Amino acid sequence: MDRRDFFKISALTGATAALDSCGKPERQLIRFIPEEDLVPGVATWKPSICTLCPAGCGLIVKVMEGEAEVVRNGKLGLMPMGLAKKLEGNPNHPVNQGKLCPRGQAGLQLTYHPDRIKTPLKRSGERGSGEFQEIGWDEAIKELAAQLSALQSSQESASLAFLTSPLRGQRRELVERFLAASGAPRPTEWAFLDDAVLRRANQLSFGRPQLPTFDLAHANYVISFGADFLGTWNSPVAQSIAYGEMRQGRSGRRAKFVMVEPRVSLTGANADEWISARPGTEGVLALGVAHVIIGEKLRPASGAGGPAALIEGWPQGLPDFSPDLVEKRTGVPAATITRIAREMAGHEPAIAMIAGAPLAETNGLWSAMAVNALNALLGSVGQPGGVLFTPDSAAAPPKPSQASREGLPQPLQALAQQALSGRPNPVKALLVHDANPVFASPPAWRIREAIENVPFVASLGSFLDETSILADLILPDHSPLESWLDDVPESGTMQLAASVAPPAMLPLHSTRAMPDVLLDIARQLGGPLSAALPWKSFDEMLHAGFVDLGERLGTTNAKGADDFWKKVQAQGGFWATETKLAAPKDPNSVGRAKAVAPSDPQFQGDEQGYPFYFLPYASQMLYDGSLAHLPWMQETPDPLSTAMWGTWVEINPKTAARLGIRQGDLLEVASQHGKLRAPALIYPGIAPDVIAMPIGQGHESFTRYASTRGANPISILAPLTEPETGSLAWAATRVKISRVGEGKLTLFGGGLSRFPHEIETR
Amino acid sequence: MNKTPEQMNEDLLRPVFHTTWRFWATVGVLLSVIAAAGLALSYQVWNGIGVWGIDRPAFWAFDITNFVFWIGISHAGTLISAILRLANATWRRPVTRCAEVITLWALMIGGMFPIIHLGRPWLFFWLAPYPNERGIWPQFRSPLMWDFFAISTYITGSAIFLLYPIIPDWALVRDKSSGWRKKFYTVVSLGWRGTPKQWNRLEMAMKIMAVVIIPVAVSVHSIVSWDFAMAPVPMWHSTIFAPYFVCGAIFSGIAALIIAMAIIRKALGLEDYMKRLHFENLGKLLLVMSLLWFYFIVSERLTTWYGNEPSEMAVFWSTQIGSFSPLFWTMVCCNFLIPVPLLAIKKLRTITGTVIASSTIIVGMWLERFLIIVPSETHKYLPYAYGSYRPTWVEITITAGTFAAMMLLYVLFAKFVPIISIWELKLGERKPVVSPQLSVVASDLPALAEPTGLATDS
Amino acid sequence: MTVDLDRCTGCEACVVACRAENNVPTAGPDQAARQRAIHWIRVERYWEGEFPNARLRFQPVLCQQCDAAPCEAVCPTYASYQNPEGLNAQIYNRCVGTRYCANACPYTVRFFNFYNPVWDKPFHLQLNPDVSVRSVGIMEKCTFCIQRIKAAEIQAEAAQRELKDGEFNPACVQSCPTKAMVFGNLNDPESEVSRLSQSTRGSKLLEEVGARPKITYLARESAPEEGGATS
Amino acid sequence: MTAIYGLYPDPGSAERAFQSLRRPPDGVDVSDNDIVILSSEPFEEYEFGRRGHRTVMPWLAALGGLAGGLLGFLFVSYTQRAYPLPTGGMKIVSLWPDGVITYELIMLSAILTTLVTLLITARSPRRSRKLYDPQVSEGKILVGVVNPAEASSAGLERMLRDAGASSVVSCP
């Protein structure tokens, strides 16, 4: 905190230029000629796309002239350049309509992060030691190309693996083509909070392997089974906008909103009624409601059609799901179930949604389908105020993938197995892009060993996280604001939307966008690769793709192509203005008629030894941990706990009292797969037999702001999966807790209730 | 007491003329403490006030506590001595000067805090009203400005009030001394000779000052209390604060005076001048104030409790049974439970007794200031904004420094000025004579033969 | 400004938006632990009841821009005063850091720079040039994004036209996904904010303190137990 | 300056000397203004201790106070008008706070007036300044005459001695 620093800052911001003190290094640097024409002090707004979560919100970036230290042809110098200053929602974008969530706001810090990887790195020390040496791009590209061509020449291309966060649009197309052309298997996508189960369920029920879009704005009744749709799930901004309308948008009409979850989430906090059902029994509850509706003839059972056909016992009116039986299994009073059923039937359009923890159970798929059936019964599928699907997003990625191949890509744990066992064939080379499975997967999957087992690992990330620190070669990616971006929102809008955006600013460091790196490699390797990827740079590819899209949709023709391309760039994407609601196909067309038998959720850890359900949840600020390195996110208080810069363990006040645990005590949470320590947070809104913990902290290595901060709940998760999709059942672990001393809990908020002294005097 | 003027001169001038090793030792120790505080202070100014423990919402803590505390102590002297003078309490004579000095120094120390507690202390002069390049005058609606005026008035008044009766004593020193002292005291005694006119003007001025300084003193601590009472903060925004603070101020003032006297008495060997009588009388005063203080705090708490206003109750309970309760009950013991018996029971109202009582009261009153300020800040209206406070070594060192500074200044004063007003003492020792006739009779009967003495204006 | 508590979901988009717009310094873990984190706007949360009937209420709190602002009268240097548009302006350069205003503020929405703020390079490049950075010893608080107000006024003046209602918004309002916050000119009876502040759901925060705040909170409604939508 | 004075151990004798000086026998003439009395403590109860008693000091103090208060108020209200900034919903010139400042300024100026009055009046008349004897500090009371007429000096010396002076000094 010395004065001089402040002077630099203030001088650079022009706030108090007069204070500018002399003798600062800036003064000794060379000054480059600006590469763009700028008017100092005047803000220009450039479109961009938020990449921090799968929602795909459109951005506009406030760019103003500033002086940055940049490297140009190997020299460090000062250059006046357009600097992104603020992110706002793109008012024209159909998903977020000019609004933005807290995470999106902080996206700015990805670009200016002090611990970004500024140039290509080559491992110089032991793996994982974090010792790298800086190298030039040519060397880096050559190195990677060499590795890949070696594989090709030895006919081992199948041993090339590509690990990435879920990709969409032209990036996906590029990667798929790259791998296909080089004879490698499809990319393994990994995100801790994936919705594979729901997509599968929707495919089975509605023939749409896609996340739903809810027309909350016109709904009169909403029941959510664990779906944190206002916080972190699916398309939070779009859903929040609709929620606002649902509450106060229609004069005189205000929908009722019921939340079913064992721990009050941000979304649950806004519900009119909170129901705590036993984890894993949400599907049962949904069918209980359906039972009453059918039984009381509020809706014809037959009306449910396809989705219901998949639920065993539906035609018989769900005999096993009478309120009393459901009460036994879920712990929700029969009276409540009946009441909810009547309310739902009485207030159409009504929406039932399910996501999050309920789907992260071993019976998640079944629960999802049960809820789908309930929606179908209520007749709210494909109806205004009901459950909708964004117009076939499969069609949206410009150019339907020529490279699309049969079969799902290998799931992460399978890839790990392959890398460890070497069967069916060893993994010789691994490319990692923007995924951090070492942090975000259960220890039992042994991802770290698996990666260490791969002879050559290259990372295309921007930060040294737990995964990329294991790499032999790091080719740092641009920050989103520095890159050409495109995206195809999967949900959140009822318009067909394909976003595209040119870079909002010049790169600060000598980094290179992942697509351009792959294109370079392709060019270097030549042969089928360069044939499959003929473009010089990614923007060319985007250009081609979007012009093609425009032509296919008849919005433009060969003549107007360039104007079309300019237009979509200028407004941040292309979206069909007229709203077409995509009616779900008949599920039987997907070819699956046989009903699924209900199954009870499996938990690891017996009730005696491990008395508590362990509920990790996505943090409002740090999401799945991929944002833990942003100081803004670290310092913004969590809305419910008000905690900053750390993790905590949420525990019911009565339970805490019984175990003699006070706010801030250090707890040890142990499962069969490990233990962690974190301070206790007394949390009134959680079931007595549940322990909840936010995901995001507990990074071993993830920049100065996140490293060795807090604990990582994922590190004690059981490796249970949902059998059909093979996606991780992260809510299926049981734990035991014990007090081990005094902890450190940094809270922004003080009193828990409006009149705390009343508690004090009790 | 049966001391001739010569003895008095002898006893009371000794400290001025003779310097013992004890003097230097004391000065050394105190200086080192002050130096430590000085370092802490510069550390704070250099790095920013963040090195203190203050936070949000506890924006004020030790700093303002010390401010209020020392301003409170300052009410020892001037106020008390003024009252005693007006009441013409004869036993006051050995006490007044000790008291008035406390006022002066305490004011200087207390008045320092509004400056050093600033976030940007180097800009303190922006609080002073003077034509400046910013083209803007201070905000006279701010109680801090009231403080500025009240304290400067009070400090001027007290200094003058203290100085007046010193002049004749300095003249005395001048006559008794030689060398540099002679020169020095010749200057400072302002050519005092002792003509009836001078004496008369001096005493007249003293009377006026005594009348003026009392309302000033009262206003000063009322205004200090208004620093809090003017802010709409639970338990601050209260009408009782002004009298409550004044009472507390006199309370702690007397306690400080008693301690000071006890030390002086031992250190300078003035046992024959400051006798049990003085401590007893002051002890009685102290007892009254202690009861009065208790009365005030009870009425404050009682009204709050009955009012049952949620935000106030939050503060209330935090002090009664909450996180601040240990301090609160310590304070009650220090200010009431311990002193009252010590001062009420004649047997215990000895010099030792009163000194013990005073010491606990000093502690108690410091705590009281702290407990008035911090709990309210940390329990304002919106519970979400509740906070806590924990001091750092910096604040603690600075606080220690203030006490050291107080003692040092006191020691130095006693070095340059007879700590007891000699002429007033002599005046007091003289048998009071009501009229010249009687006086003549009293003075020497033989003179009766001479008519002149009687003939005078009869 | 009006804040509709029935729309507010507590997502805290406003909090981060404000931080980004106004160069609010990051305190860092240690200072944050010492209760020195700065958030010009915060979303307060209050629990009611116990499991299974625990309820949560959100309430965004920012400077209420009071008419009779307690913070103003106590500032000896006029650093805090009421500007002609009726905002509680904070003139950083006049502030000497008595912290009196922060104590006087009933809403505890004033924040103090206990140290000089630091931005680890190159975070300093993201600082907004339209907003001055506050040095050590200075009080800061929500300004209703006065830089945006001024910019809009200047543009309107240049174009010789009146400011349109909702033409511009403070960062928090602009980002709020549920449109819970509405900003506008209370002196203009036509503006949406004037209309909403007349709502029967409307109330002022801590009205009893008498600071006459300018922000109106619209109460959160609750659906009747039986029957869903209120109609 | 010449002077002749006696030093008296007790107020009684000093009083007698004083009385005799005020009513000198023929041949000795002493003007009242030439009589000098110095003592190490006030003797209000003796007539010699009440010389030059009349003073307007309290009135001056009161006047000074009022004047200062008035000026103070004008100053404060002027500065408030000079740069009118509304705060806290109060008037630009708000009387309550200004009242507080005014009050303090009244007191301050009263104090200062007193001080000034004291410094000025206590030193006049200046003609007899030089006459002083350190023995006053021993408790002796000095009663004497400055610039006595040559003729009457002998008489004066006698008178002073008769009154019971412990010593009579005459400085040429």
Side-chain angles (χ1 to χ4, degrees), chain A residues 106-177:
Chain A
L108 193 59
Q109 292 203 304
L110 286 174
T111 302
Y112 299 110
H113 201 292
D115 293 346
R116 256 181 82 182
I117 303 174
K118 299 178 173 60
T119 115
L121 297 176
K122 195 175 194 308
R123 182 164 61 85
S124 58
E126 278 301 297
R127 262 206 179 159
S129 65
E131 292 166 29
F132 293 90
Q133 80 193 55
E134 305 194 339
I135 58 174
W137 268 106
D138 303 349
E139 186 184 348
I141 298 284
K142 211 178 276 101
E143 169 91 20
L144 181 53
Q147 291 283 350
L148 298 186
S149 59
L151 286 180
Q152 285 182 340
S153 49
S154 58
Q155 307 302 324
E156 289 177 312
S157 300
S159 310
L160 167 64
F162 195 98
L163 179 54
T164 172
S165 57
L167 293 167
R168 286 202 297 234
Q170 292 296 67
R171 268 188 170 68
R172 149 167 247 106
E173 176 68 11
L174 178 69
V175 171
E176 290 275 13
R177 282 174 180 240

Side-chain angles (χ1 to χ4, degrees), chain C residues 57 59 93 197 217-218 226:
Chain C
R57 295 262 179 274
Q59 178 180 47
N93 293 340
S197 54
Y217 286 85
L218 306 179
E226 284 301 330

Side-chain angles (χ1 to χ4, degrees), chain A residues 684-726:
Chain A
I686 189 170
D689 57 350
V690 177
I691 295 295
M693 227 183 131
I695 304 164
Q697 301 282 21
H699 283 274
E700 293 161 33
S701 141
F702 195 30
T703 78
R704 68 186 74 174
Y705 302 106
S707 298
T708 67
R709 182 175 305 290
N712 178 9
I714 302 172
S715 65
I716 65 169
L717 290 185
L720 294 178
T721 57
E722 194 285 320
E724 189 160 337
T725 57

Side-chain angles (χ1 to χ4, degrees), chain C residues 83-98:
Chain C
N83 84 353
E85 288 164 322
L87 294 178
N88 302 125
Q90 178 74 5
I91 311 292
Y92 302 128
N93 293 340
R94 284 182 195 158
C95 178
V96 296
T98 64

Side-chain angles (χ1 to χ4, degrees), chain A residues 1-3 5-6 9-10 12-16 26 41 45 60 62 64-65 67-69 83-86 88-89 97-102 105-106 108-109 111-114 220-221 230 237 240-241 243-245 247-249 252-256 262 264 266 269-274 276 339 343 347 508-509 620-621 631-633 635-642 644-645 652 654 683-688 704-705 709 744 746-754 762, chain C residues 4-39 41-59 93 111 114-136 147-148 169-179 181 201 205-206 208 219-231:
Chain A
M1 313 241 168
D2 76 286
R3 303 185 63 71
D5 280 355
F6 168 64
I9 296 161
S10 40
L12 281 162
T13 54
T16 56
E26 279 88 338
W45 293 87
I60 49 173
K62 181 188 187 188
M64 290 182 86
E65 187 259 10
E67 217 170 41
E69 275 181 38
L83 296 170
K85 295 294 188 181
K86 178 86 169 65
E88 302 286 0
Q97 302 160 38
K99 300 303 185 178
L100 204 54
C101 76
Q105 293 279 356
L108 193 59
Q109 292 203 304
T111 302
Y112 299 110
H113 201 292
N220 277 333
Y221 200 95
L230 295 175
V237 177
S240 299
I241 295 170
Y243 170 86
E245 294 309 301
R247 285 306 201 189
Q248 292 293 332
R253 271 164 79 234
R254 179 180 184 277
K256 179 171 182 182
V264 172
L266 177 72
N270 294 288
D272 299 300
E273 186 175 355
W274 170 46
S276 169
R339 196 189 79 239
E343 289 179 2
H347 296 87
L508 279 179
H509 311 298
Q620 169 70 356
M621 294 306 155
W632 282 354
M633 293 287 91
E635 187 150 312
T636 307
D638 173 80
L640 294 101
S641 67
T642 83
M644 304 177 280
W645 294 99
N652 176 290
K654 289 225 166 59
Y683 196 83
I686 189 170
R704 68 186 74 174
Y705 302 106
R709 182 175 305 290
K744 190 160 170 293
T746 299
L747 300 181
F748 183 69
L752 206 58
S753 72
R754 190 65 184 82
R762 277 208 199 106
Chain C
D4 189 334
L5 300 179
D6 204 21
R7 282 176 179 262
C8 175
T9 64
C11 73
E12 295 201 344
C14 48
V15 178
V16 185
C18 172
R19 173 166 285 270
E21 171 71 18
N22 293 299
N23 301 340
V24 174
T26 302
D30 306 341
Q31 291 301 307
R34 290 179 64 181
Q35 302 170 40
R36 289 166 178 188
I38 297 181
H39 298 290
I41 180 173
R42 60 176 184 262
V43 180
E44 300 195 340
R45 60 96 188 82
Y46 293 114
W47 286 97
E48 297 161 12
E50 296 177 354
F51 179 87
N53 300 320
R55 285 274 171 286
L56 193 62
R57 295 262 179 274
F58 289 116
Q59 178 180 47
N93 293 340
F111 296 83
F114 291 92
Y115 289 110
N116 267 328
V118 231
W119 279 270
D120 300 332
K121 287 176 79 173
F123 271 150
H124 64 278
L125 294 180
Q126 83 194 0
L127 291 173
N128 179 354
D130 299 337
V131 178
S132 64
V133 178
R134 285 76 60 183
S135 75
V136 65
Q147 68 278 12
R148 294 189 175 200
N169 276 318
C172 51
V173 178
Q174 180 167 2
S175 69
C176 179
T178 57
K179 307 196 181 70
M181 299 169 137
R201 294 191 293 136
L205 186 55
L206 300 179
E208 68 275 16
R220 176 172 171 178
E221 295 183 35
S222 55
E225 272 298 281
E226 284 301 330
T230 55
S231 45

